[in-house]
Amino acid sequence: SLGMLDVHWEIDSTSSELARQHPVLDDLAFVMAETQSAGRGRRGRPWLSPPGMNLYLSVLKRFHAGFASLSGLSLAVGVMLMRALDDLGIRTAGLKWPNDVLAGNAKLAGILVELSGEYSGPCAAVIGVGLNIRLPDSVHERAGQPVTDLAELTGGLPPDRNRAAAAVVAALTEGLLTFERHGFAAFAQEYAAHDLLRGQSLRILDPRGEYEAVGEGVDARGALRVRRADGSQVTVDSAEVSVRRS
Ligand code: ATP
Ligand code: BTN
């Protein structure tokens, strides 16, 4: 099999690279790049990936149990990133369901989980992580939403990028093993401690339509629980969620 950690100068997308190499890789394999020419977020949205001081990293993890057992994986990866940030001395970030790491309402990191394989047989997850360490001004101008980086959170003295990469790789290596054994249950308490939506007024767009509700945490599968104005509790599996300004 190929090496466990491949580092590229430029690649289209570290997640695409793992998808291409998939058949020949071990149970756990990492790809990093200095810059991506076609970095992507969810629903085909672009992830701006200039060279310089950021982290673009993907990991392939195989699971034997099938993706029926993988609910909550992207939330668990969020917790793993919070652990890595904590190791780096960064304690001001939080998690916005389902897959964003924010600091002061601006996007610090993004998580992209892509599954392949069988529902109850062997399957694999390619997990992509983009972590901003020092963004050029152009990203702030082009992102279309507030973005931030570790430089901003540390008053201009971000952790060394190699240390940041090591912390993220270590947190993912350990966390994915824990997830394989115990699922989201092993991360639920820590998720709750970092949950930015709990108690917030939210505007939700899901298959039911568009409505307002208050965040009430997540359930054992990682679905978002909210309470609507009429008092009813609703569980949301996937949706666009925005925090309502009041
Ligand atoms: P959702 O809340 O549904 O996740 P989102 O707006 O965060 O929505 P994603 O698809 O998760 O969308 O992320 C892609 C978005 O992230 C892009 O549309 C852009 O606004 C933003 N973005 C792109 N590059 C970066 C970057 N390097 N750092 C922070 N944000 C970025
Ligand atoms: C999101 O917030 O929508 C997720 C963004 C994920 C970006 C990372 S960067 C490394 C990996 N390669 C990609 O093309 N995307 C992910």
Side-chain angles (χ1 to χ4, degrees), residues 18-109:
L18 278 175
R20 287 190 292 266
Q21 302 289 348
H22 205 164
V24 295
L25 292 172
D26 286 332
D27 283 1
L28 189 70
F30 290 86
V31 171
M32 285 197 266
E34 178 72 32
T35 178
Q36 300 182 117
S37 55
R40 50 198 166 79
R42 301 196 310 151
R43 301 187 206 97
R45 286 188 278 236
W47 188 258
L48 302 170
S49 310
M53 274 301 291
N54 304 301
L55 217 55
Y56 312 110
L57 173 154
S58 297
V59 54
L60 167 80
K61 172 82 179 97
R62 292 187 201 284
F63 294 95
H64 300 291
F67 45 75
S69 63
L70 300 188
S71 57
L73 176 58
S74 73
L75 281 68
V77 172
V79 170
M80 296 169 209
L81 286 185
M82 297 302 296
R83 291 175 181 171
L85 291 172
D86 186 76
D87 286 346
L88 297 166
I90 312 281
R91 316 235 151 76
T92 46
L95 299 173
K96 180 187 166 226
W97 187 91
N99 72 328
D100 287 349
V101 180
L102 304 185
N105 241 0
K107 195 148 162 166
L108 173 67

Side-chain angles (χ1 to χ4, degrees), residues 225-246:
R225 288 181 359 221
V226 300
R227 191 169 297 278
R228 300 180 64 158
D230 64 5
S232 61
Q233 205 187 43
V234 179
T235 300
V236 182
D237 277 300
S238 78
E240 303 258 10
V241 179
S242 53
V243 177
R244 224 182 70 212
R245 289 157 239 278
S246 46

Side-chain angles (χ1 to χ4, degrees), residues 152-199:
E152 194 173 338
L153 300 185
T154 56
L157 290 170
D160 174 77
R161 185 168 59 164
N162 288 334
R163 273 191 63 219
V168 170
V169 168
L172 289 171
T173 301
E174 192 197 332
L176 289 170
L177 277 177
T178 303
F179 186 90
E180 183 170 38
R181 294 201 192 106
H182 306 291
F184 180 64
F187 298 87
Q189 229 182 328
E190 261 177 278
Y191 185 87
H194 299 298
D195 182 355
L196 294 173
L197 299 188
R198 183 186 287 268

